[in-house]
Amino acid sequence: MTERLYILEEIDPAVLYGPNREYLLLLRNLYPKLRIVAHDRIIKILGDPTDIQLLTALLDKLVQHIMRYNLLSEQTIRKLATGEELPEVKVAPNHLLYGARGRSIGYRGAHQREMVEAIADHDMLFAIGPAGTGKTYIAIALAVKALKEKQVRRIILSRPAVEAGEKLGFLPGELKDKLDPYLQPLYDALEEMIPTQRLRTYMESDVIQIAPLAYMRGRTLNDAVVILDEAQNTTHHQMKMFLTRLGRNSKMIITGDLSQVDLPRGVTSGLRIAERILGEVEQIPFVYFDAHDIVRHPIVQLVVDAYDRNEHQALQGGRPSQVTRQETRQEQDIDLDKNQSKDS
Protein backbone atom coordinates (compact mmCIF):
# COMPACT_ATOMS: atom_id res chain seq x y z
CA MET A 1 0.00 0.00 0.00
CA THR A 2 1.28 3.44 -0.99
CA GLU A 3 0.80 6.66 0.97
CA ARG A 4 0.69 10.13 -0.60
CA LEU A 5 0.24 13.53 1.02
CA TYR A 6 -1.55 16.19 -1.02
CA ILE A 7 -1.05 19.76 0.31
CA LEU A 8 -3.61 22.49 -0.39
CA GLU A 9 -1.46 25.62 -0.54
CA GLU A 10 -3.38 28.03 -2.78
CA ILE A 11 -7.04 27.51 -1.89
CA ASP A 12 -9.41 27.52 1.04
CA PRO A 13 -9.77 23.82 2.02
CA ALA A 14 -13.40 24.39 3.02
CA VAL A 15 -14.29 25.10 -0.61
CA LEU A 16 -12.79 21.79 -1.77
CA TYR A 17 -14.28 19.76 1.09
CA GLY A 18 -17.73 21.28 0.57
CA PRO A 19 -20.53 22.08 3.03
CA ASN A 20 -20.45 19.53 5.86
CA ARG A 21 -17.58 17.86 3.94
CA GLU A 22 -20.00 16.58 1.31
CA TYR A 23 -17.48 16.89 -1.54
CA LEU A 24 -14.88 14.95 0.43
CA LEU A 25 -17.43 12.16 0.95
CA LEU A 26 -18.15 12.25 -2.80
CA LEU A 27 -14.45 11.75 -3.56
CA ARG A 28 -14.37 8.76 -1.22
CA ASN A 29 -17.38 7.27 -3.04
CA LEU A 30 -15.78 7.90 -6.45
CA TYR A 31 -12.55 6.17 -5.32
CA PRO A 32 -13.77 3.43 -2.93
CA LYS A 33 -10.46 1.52 -3.09
CA LEU A 34 -8.59 4.46 -1.59
CA ARG A 35 -8.47 5.61 1.98
CA ILE A 36 -8.77 9.43 2.02
CA VAL A 37 -8.11 11.33 5.26
CA ALA A 38 -8.27 15.14 5.25
CA HIS A 39 -7.09 17.43 8.01
CA ASP A 40 -6.93 21.17 7.45
CA ARG A 41 -4.71 21.65 4.36
CA ILE A 42 -3.34 18.10 4.20
CA ILE A 43 -5.05 15.22 2.41
CA LYS A 44 -3.53 11.80 3.12
CA ILE A 45 -4.26 9.18 0.46
CA LEU A 46 -3.53 5.47 0.93
CA GLY A 47 -3.98 2.72 -1.66
CA ASP A 48 -2.86 1.48 -5.05
CA PRO A 49 -0.40 3.85 -6.79
CA THR A 50 -2.46 3.91 -10.00
CA ASP A 51 -5.63 4.91 -8.16
CA ILE A 52 -3.70 7.52 -6.16
CA GLN A 53 -2.39 9.02 -9.38
CA LEU A 54 -5.94 9.29 -10.76
CA LEU A 55 -7.19 11.03 -7.62
CA THR A 56 -4.27 13.47 -7.43
CA ALA A 57 -4.80 14.38 -11.09
CA LEU A 58 -8.44 15.12 -10.29
CA LEU A 59 -7.43 17.15 -7.22
CA ASP A 60 -5.10 19.22 -9.41
CA LYS A 61 -8.02 20.04 -11.72
CA LEU A 62 -10.31 20.88 -8.81
CA VAL A 63 -7.71 23.17 -7.25
CA GLN A 64 -7.22 25.00 -10.56
CA HIS A 65 -10.99 25.39 -10.89
CA ILE A 66 -11.30 26.81 -7.36
CA MET A 67 -8.36 29.17 -7.86
CA ARG A 68 -10.08 30.62 -10.91
CA TYR A 69 -13.71 30.71 -9.78
CA ASN A 70 -13.56 30.49 -5.93
CA LEU A 71 -16.42 28.02 -6.28
CA LEU A 72 -17.03 24.27 -6.61
CA SER A 73 -20.08 22.05 -7.12
CA GLU A 74 -20.89 18.35 -7.04
CA GLN A 75 -21.64 18.47 -10.77
CA THR A 76 -18.20 19.91 -11.50
CA ILE A 77 -16.49 17.16 -9.47
CA ARG A 78 -18.41 14.40 -11.26
CA LYS A 79 -17.68 15.83 -14.71
CA LEU A 80 -13.96 16.24 -14.07
CA ALA A 81 -13.76 12.78 -12.49
CA THR A 82 -15.09 11.21 -15.70
CA GLY A 83 -12.62 13.17 -17.81
CA GLU A 84 -15.26 15.48 -19.24
CA GLU A 85 -14.09 18.96 -20.16
CA LEU A 86 -15.96 21.82 -18.53
CA PRO A 87 -17.46 24.37 -20.91
CA GLU A 88 -15.73 27.74 -20.92
CA VAL A 89 -17.66 30.17 -18.75
CA LYS A 90 -18.73 33.23 -20.67
CA VAL A 91 -17.98 36.44 -18.82
CA ALA A 92 -18.96 40.02 -19.46
CA PRO A 93 -16.45 42.28 -21.23
CA ASN A 94 -15.96 44.22 -17.97
CA HIS A 95 -14.94 41.12 -15.97
CA LEU A 96 -11.81 41.38 -13.81
CA LEU A 97 -11.88 38.39 -11.45
CA TYR A 98 -14.15 36.07 -9.50
CA GLY A 99 -14.93 37.09 -5.93
CA ALA A 100 -14.96 35.08 -2.72
CA ARG A 101 -18.28 33.41 -3.50
CA GLY A 102 -17.76 32.94 -7.21
CA ARG A 103 -19.35 36.25 -8.20
CA SER A 104 -17.89 38.01 -11.21
CA ILE A 105 -16.30 41.31 -10.22
CA GLY A 106 -15.77 43.89 -12.94
CA TYR A 107 -15.57 47.59 -13.62
CA ARG A 108 -18.72 49.70 -13.96
CA GLY A 109 -18.89 52.87 -15.97
CA ALA A 110 -16.47 54.74 -18.19
CA HIS A 111 -14.22 56.09 -15.43
CA GLN A 112 -13.72 52.73 -13.70
CA ARG A 113 -12.83 51.32 -17.12
CA GLU A 114 -10.41 54.24 -17.56
CA MET A 115 -8.71 53.21 -14.30
CA VAL A 116 -8.35 49.62 -15.51
CA GLU A 117 -6.86 50.70 -18.83
CA ALA A 118 -4.58 53.34 -17.30
CA ILE A 119 -2.97 51.08 -14.70
CA ALA A 120 -2.21 48.50 -17.39
CA ASP A 121 0.14 50.95 -19.10
CA HIS A 122 1.38 53.05 -16.16
CA ASP A 123 3.00 52.40 -12.77
CA MET A 124 1.26 55.24 -10.91
CA LEU A 125 -2.37 56.35 -11.09
CA PHE A 126 -4.53 58.93 -9.30
CA ALA A 127 -8.31 58.43 -9.05
CA ILE A 128 -10.19 61.45 -7.69
CA GLY A 129 -13.90 61.88 -7.09
CA PRO A 130 -16.82 61.65 -4.66
CA ALA A 131 -17.58 58.80 -2.30
CA GLY A 132 -19.47 55.84 -3.71
CA THR A 133 -17.92 55.88 -7.17
CA GLY A 134 -15.99 52.64 -6.64
CA LYS A 135 -12.48 54.12 -6.82
CA THR A 136 -11.11 52.10 -3.91
CA TYR A 137 -13.07 48.96 -4.79
CA ILE A 138 -11.70 48.81 -8.34
CA ALA A 139 -8.19 49.64 -7.11
CA ILE A 140 -8.31 46.67 -4.72
CA ALA A 141 -9.83 44.44 -7.41
CA LEU A 142 -6.93 45.31 -9.72
CA ALA A 143 -4.47 44.52 -6.92
CA VAL A 144 -6.08 41.16 -6.14
CA LYS A 145 -6.12 40.30 -9.85
CA ALA A 146 -2.39 41.08 -10.14
CA LEU A 147 -1.65 38.94 -7.06
CA LYS A 148 -3.80 36.08 -8.33
CA GLU A 149 -2.02 36.12 -11.70
CA LYS A 150 1.38 36.24 -9.92
CA GLN A 151 2.31 39.58 -11.47
CA VAL A 152 3.23 40.79 -7.95
CA ARG A 153 4.10 39.11 -4.66
CA ARG A 154 2.06 41.29 -2.30
CA ILE A 155 -0.57 43.95 -1.84
CA ILE A 156 -0.04 46.95 0.44
CA LEU A 157 -3.05 49.06 1.42
CA SER A 158 -2.74 52.26 3.39
CA ARG A 159 -4.85 55.11 4.73
CA PRO A 160 -3.98 58.22 6.72
CA ALA A 161 -5.41 57.92 10.25
CA VAL A 162 -6.92 61.40 10.42
CA GLU A 163 -9.36 62.32 13.17
CA ALA A 164 -12.70 63.47 11.77
CA GLY A 165 -14.22 65.09 14.84
CA GLU A 166 -13.22 62.30 17.24
CA LYS A 167 -10.00 61.89 19.18
CA LEU A 168 -8.11 58.62 18.83
CA GLY A 169 -7.28 58.72 22.51
CA PHE A 170 -10.93 58.26 23.45
CA LEU A 171 -11.33 55.11 21.35
CA PRO A 172 -11.08 51.85 23.33
CA GLY A 173 -8.20 49.39 23.11
CA GLU A 174 -4.57 49.48 22.06
CA LEU A 175 -3.10 51.21 18.98
CA LYS A 176 -4.22 48.48 16.54
CA ASP A 177 -7.76 48.58 17.96
CA LYS A 178 -7.85 52.37 17.56
CA LEU A 179 -6.60 52.26 13.95
CA ASP A 180 -8.63 49.31 12.62
CA PRO A 181 -11.87 51.34 12.24
CA TYR A 182 -10.04 53.65 9.81
CA LEU A 183 -8.96 50.64 7.75
CA GLN A 184 -12.22 48.66 7.87
CA PRO A 185 -13.42 49.68 4.36
CA LEU A 186 -10.29 48.04 2.97
CA TYR A 187 -11.01 44.82 4.89
CA ASP A 188 -14.61 44.88 3.60
CA ALA A 189 -13.50 45.02 -0.04
CA LEU A 190 -10.92 42.26 0.41
CA GLU A 191 -13.49 39.97 2.04
CA GLU A 192 -15.64 40.24 -1.09
CA MET A 193 -12.77 39.16 -3.33
CA ILE A 194 -10.78 36.55 -1.41
CA PRO A 195 -12.13 33.50 0.47
CA THR A 196 -11.92 33.93 4.23
CA GLN A 197 -9.30 31.26 4.95
CA ARG A 198 -7.00 32.37 2.15
CA LEU A 199 -7.37 36.03 3.14
CA ARG A 200 -6.42 35.16 6.71
CA THR A 201 -3.36 33.27 5.45
CA TYR A 202 -2.34 36.16 3.19
CA MET A 203 -2.57 38.64 6.06
CA GLU A 204 -0.74 36.43 8.55
CA SER A 205 2.12 35.96 6.08
CA ASP A 206 2.16 39.67 5.06
CA VAL A 207 1.26 38.89 1.46
CA ILE A 208 -1.50 41.44 2.09
CA GLN A 209 -0.57 44.29 4.41
CA ILE A 210 -2.96 46.96 5.68
CA ALA A 211 -1.29 49.78 7.54
CA PRO A 212 -1.69 53.46 8.45
CA LEU A 213 0.22 55.86 6.22
CA ALA A 214 2.77 56.67 8.95
CA TYR A 215 4.02 53.07 8.78
CA MET A 216 5.15 53.56 5.16
CA ARG A 217 8.04 55.86 6.04
CA GLY A 218 11.46 54.45 5.20
CA ARG A 219 10.17 51.52 3.13
CA THR A 220 10.85 50.68 -0.53
CA LEU A 221 7.93 48.71 -1.90
CA ASN A 222 9.00 46.18 -4.56
CA ASP A 223 6.91 43.57 -6.41
CA ALA A 224 3.66 44.98 -5.06
CA VAL A 225 0.47 46.83 -5.83
CA VAL A 226 0.38 49.72 -3.37
CA ILE A 227 -2.86 51.60 -2.73
CA LEU A 228 -3.28 54.83 -0.80
CA ASP A 229 -6.94 55.42 0.05
CA GLU A 230 -8.49 58.62 1.45
CA ALA A 231 -5.48 60.48 0.05
CA GLN A 232 -7.22 63.86 0.49
CA ASN A 233 -6.32 63.57 4.18
CA THR A 234 -2.57 63.46 3.60
CA THR A 235 -0.35 66.48 4.11
CA HIS A 236 2.05 67.63 1.41
CA HIS A 237 5.02 65.91 3.10
CA GLN A 238 3.08 62.67 3.70
CA MET A 239 2.05 62.48 0.05
CA LYS A 240 5.61 63.07 -1.16
CA MET A 241 6.87 60.45 1.28
CA PHE A 242 4.33 57.91 0.06
CA LEU A 243 4.88 58.49 -3.67
CA THR A 244 8.61 57.98 -3.29
CA ARG A 245 8.11 54.51 -1.76
CA LEU A 246 7.43 53.01 -5.22
CA GLY A 247 9.92 50.22 -5.97
CA ARG A 248 10.75 47.79 -8.76
CA ASN A 249 7.95 45.88 -10.48
CA SER A 250 5.34 47.77 -8.49
CA LYS A 251 2.25 49.79 -9.24
CA MET A 252 0.75 52.54 -7.09
CA ILE A 253 -2.88 53.70 -7.04
CA ILE A 254 -3.89 56.82 -5.09
CA THR A 255 -7.58 57.48 -4.47
CA GLY A 256 -9.29 60.38 -2.77
CA ASP A 257 -12.23 62.79 -2.56
CA LEU A 258 -11.22 66.44 -2.40
CA SER A 259 -14.70 67.40 -1.16
CA GLN A 260 -14.15 65.47 2.11
CA VAL A 261 -10.91 66.80 3.57
CA ASP A 262 -10.64 66.27 7.35
CA LEU A 263 -7.30 68.00 7.86
CA PRO A 264 -7.02 70.88 10.36
CA ARG A 265 -7.93 74.32 9.10
CA GLY A 266 -5.11 75.94 7.16
CA VAL A 267 -3.49 72.64 6.11
CA THR A 268 -3.69 72.07 2.35
CA SER A 269 -4.45 68.54 1.21
CA GLY A 270 -1.43 66.69 -0.13
CA LEU A 271 -3.69 65.27 -2.83
CA ARG A 272 -4.55 68.73 -4.08
CA ILE A 273 -0.87 69.72 -4.15
CA ALA A 274 0.07 66.48 -5.95
CA GLU A 275 -2.66 67.17 -8.50
CA ARG A 276 -1.13 70.57 -9.20
CA ILE A 277 2.48 69.36 -9.30
CA LEU A 278 2.00 66.08 -11.17
CA GLY A 279 -1.01 66.90 -13.32
CA GLU A 280 1.16 67.63 -16.36
CA VAL A 281 3.40 64.56 -15.98
CA GLU A 282 2.46 62.36 -18.93
CA GLN A 283 3.49 59.11 -17.22
CA ILE A 284 1.10 59.69 -14.30
CA PRO A 285 -2.57 59.60 -15.37
CA PHE A 286 -5.36 61.22 -13.36
CA VAL A 287 -8.88 59.75 -13.58
CA TYR A 288 -11.68 62.04 -12.42
CA PHE A 289 -15.02 60.68 -11.18
CA ASP A 290 -18.22 62.66 -10.63
CA ALA A 291 -21.64 62.12 -9.04
CA HIS A 292 -22.87 60.26 -12.12
CA ASP A 293 -20.34 57.50 -11.39
CA ILE A 294 -21.83 56.65 -7.98
CA VAL A 295 -22.51 52.92 -7.77
CA ARG A 296 -23.85 52.66 -4.23
CA HIS A 297 -27.53 52.83 -3.29
CA PRO A 298 -29.33 55.21 -5.73
CA ILE A 299 -30.19 57.59 -2.89
CA VAL A 300 -26.46 58.25 -2.35
CA GLN A 301 -26.32 60.07 -5.67
CA LEU A 302 -29.35 62.15 -4.64
CA VAL A 303 -27.58 63.08 -1.40
CA VAL A 304 -24.40 64.10 -3.25
CA ASP A 305 -26.39 66.14 -5.78
CA ALA A 306 -28.29 67.94 -3.00
CA TYR A 307 -25.11 68.87 -1.14
CA ASP A 308 -23.48 70.04 -4.37
CA ARG A 309 -26.45 72.32 -5.09
CA ASN A 310 -26.31 73.66 -1.55
CA GLU A 311 -22.61 74.51 -1.80
CA HIS A 312 -23.12 76.09 -5.22
CA GLN A 313 -25.86 78.33 -3.82
CA ALA A 314 -23.60 79.29 -0.90
CA LEU A 315 -20.79 80.24 -3.26
CA GLN A 316 -23.24 82.38 -5.27
CA GLY A 317 -24.04 84.36 -2.14
CA GLY A 318 -27.50 82.92 -1.60
CA ARG A 319 -28.98 81.54 1.59
CA PRO A 320 -29.88 77.88 0.93
CA SER A 321 -32.11 75.99 3.29
CA GLN A 322 -29.35 73.48 4.08
CA VAL A 323 -26.35 74.39 6.21
CA THR A 324 -23.57 76.15 4.35
CA ARG A 325 -19.96 75.06 4.31
CA GLN A 326 -19.10 77.83 6.79
CA GLU A 327 -21.75 76.63 9.23
CA THR A 328 -20.49 73.05 8.86
CA ARG A 329 -16.96 74.24 9.67
CA GLN A 330 -18.28 76.10 12.72
CA GLU A 331 -19.96 72.92 13.95
CA GLN A 332 -16.69 71.01 13.51
CA ASP A 333 -14.85 73.71 15.47
CA ILE A 334 -17.39 73.38 18.29
CA ASP A 335 -16.84 69.59 18.35
CA LEU A 336 -13.08 70.04 18.41
CA ASP A 337 -13.34 72.59 21.24
CA LYS A 338 -15.40 70.08 23.24
CA ASN A 339 -12.80 67.36 22.70
CA GLN A 340 -9.98 69.71 23.63
CA SER A 341 -11.82 70.60 26.83
CA LYS A 342 -12.08 66.87 27.64
CA ASP A 343 -8.35 66.44 26.94
CA SER A 344 -7.51 69.19 29.41
Side-chain angles (χ1 to χ4, degrees):
M1 180 177 289
T2 301
E3 177 179 315
R4 166 80 185 273
L5 295 180
Y6 192 95
I7 312 298
L8 302 173
E9 296 180 343
E10 298 289 336
I11 66 167
D12 183 350
V15 179
L16 177 64
Y17 300 155
N20 300 317
R21 296 207 155 195
E22 292 176 6
Y23 301 159
L24 185 61
L25 178 60
L26 174 59
L27 291 174
R28 287 169 176 157
N29 291 334
L30 290 172
Y31 297 89
K33 294 181 180 180
L34 294 175
R35 185 181 176 203
I36 305 170
V37 180
H39 178 69
D40 196 19
R41 294 184 170 275
I42 301 175
I43 300 176
K44 183 162 70 173
I45 310 168
L46 299 96
D48 181 78
T50 302
D51 291 333
I52 291 177
Q53 188 173 359
L54 290 173
L55 176 56
T56 54
L58 173 60
L59 289 172
D60 287 341
K61 292 180 180 179
L62 295 177
V63 167
Q64 289 300 316
H65 183 86
I66 294 171
M67 286 180 62
R68 180 173 182 183
Y69 299 107
N70 288 323
L71 201 64
L72 190 63
S73 68
E74 179 179 334
Q75 183 182 27
T76 296
I77 296 173
R78 291 187 181 278
K79 283 186 175 182
L80 291 176
T82 58
E84 185 177 343
E85 292 293 328
L86 298 177
E88 187 68 22
V89 177
K90 293 182 179 180
V91 296
N94 68 331
H95 173 81
L96 293 175
L97 73 157
Y98 288 95
R101 288 166 288 279
R103 182 174 65 88
S104 175
I105 292 175
Y107 59 81
R108 296 171 63 179
H111 290 123
Q112 288 191 12
R113 181 183 64 199
E114 189 178 348
M115 279 186 66
V116 174
E117 294 172 349
I119 201 62
D121 300 322
H122 300 85
D123 292 335
M124 185 177 292
L125 165 69
F126 284 79
I128 300 174
T133 51
K135 306 180 300 297
T136 302
Y137 190 82
I138 289 300
I140 293 177
L142 290 168
V144 173
K145 177 179 171 66
L147 180 66
K148 190 174 181 180
E149 295 177 354
K150 301 187 185 303
Q151 297 172 6
V152 296
R153 292 188 297 106
R154 54 184 176 161
I155 297 172
I156 300 170
L157 309 173
S158 186
R159 270 188 165 197
V162 174
E163 299 166 350
E166 311 97 305
K167 292 289 185 182
L168 278 174
F170 284 98
L171 295 175
E174 298 180 355
L175 179 61
K176 182 181 182 300
D177 302 315
K178 296 174 188 290
L179 292 172
D180 271 354
Y182 288 92
L183 306 173
Q184 189 59 48
L186 305 179
Y187 291 109
D188 292 343
L190 286 169
E191 287 171 354
E192 286 194 35
M193 300 177 197
I194 302 175
T196 303
Q197 182 61 44
R198 199 190 320 175
L199 178 58
R200 186 179 298 117
T201 300
Y202 280 160
M203 298 192 73
E204 289 173 353
S205 60
D206 284 338
V207 171
I208 295 179
Q209 302 172 29
I210 302 180
L213 178 59
Y215 289 20
M216 296 295 105
R217 189 174 299 279
R219 302 181 64 183
T220 300
L221 308 174
N222 299 318
D223 296 308
V225 177
V226 190
I227 298 172
L228 174 60
D229 190 37
E230 295 288 322
Q232 75 275 5
N233 287 326
T234 61
T235 65
H236 170 51
H237 294 293
Q238 286 175 329
M239 177 62 79
K240 182 180 178 182
M241 176 274 292
F242 179 81
L243 297 180
T244 54
R245 300 307 95 200
L246 186 65
R248 297 185 307 275
N249 189 41
S250 291
K251 290 183 181 287
M252 186 172 280
I253 304 176
I254 301 95
T255 68
D257 177 5
L258 286 169
S259 70
Q260 295 191 24
V261 177
D262 295 315
L263 293 168
R265 183 185 297 182
V267 178
T268 304
S269 167
L271 178 59
R272 190 176 298 281
I273 297 174
E275 180 186 25
R276 186 174 69 246
I277 295 174
L278 303 175
E280 301 301 321
V281 178
E282 185 177 348
Q283 294 85 351
I284 304 177
F286 282 72
V287 178
Y288 291 94
F289 291 76
D290 56 40
H292 299 293
D293 295 305
I294 291 175
V295 292
R296 291 181 181 169
H297 193 288
I299 202 169
V300 174
Q301 183 164 344
L302 298 178
V303 170
V304 172
D305 288 343
Y307 272 88
D308 285 345
R309 286 195 303 272
N310 176 76
E311 292 187 4
H312 178 73
Q313 291 175 20
L315 291 173
Q316 296 300 316
R319 179 68 179 178
S321 58
Q322 297 92 347
V323 291
T324 64
R325 183 180 296 178
Q326 181 180 2
E327 288 170 327
T328 303
R329 175 60 69 181
Q330 290 172 348
E331 289 179 1
Q332 291 175 348
D333 289 344
I334 291 172
D335 289 339
L336 289 173
D337 288 342
K338 289 180 179 179
N339 286 329
Q340 288 169 358
S341 297
K342 292 178 181 178
D343 288 343
S344 60

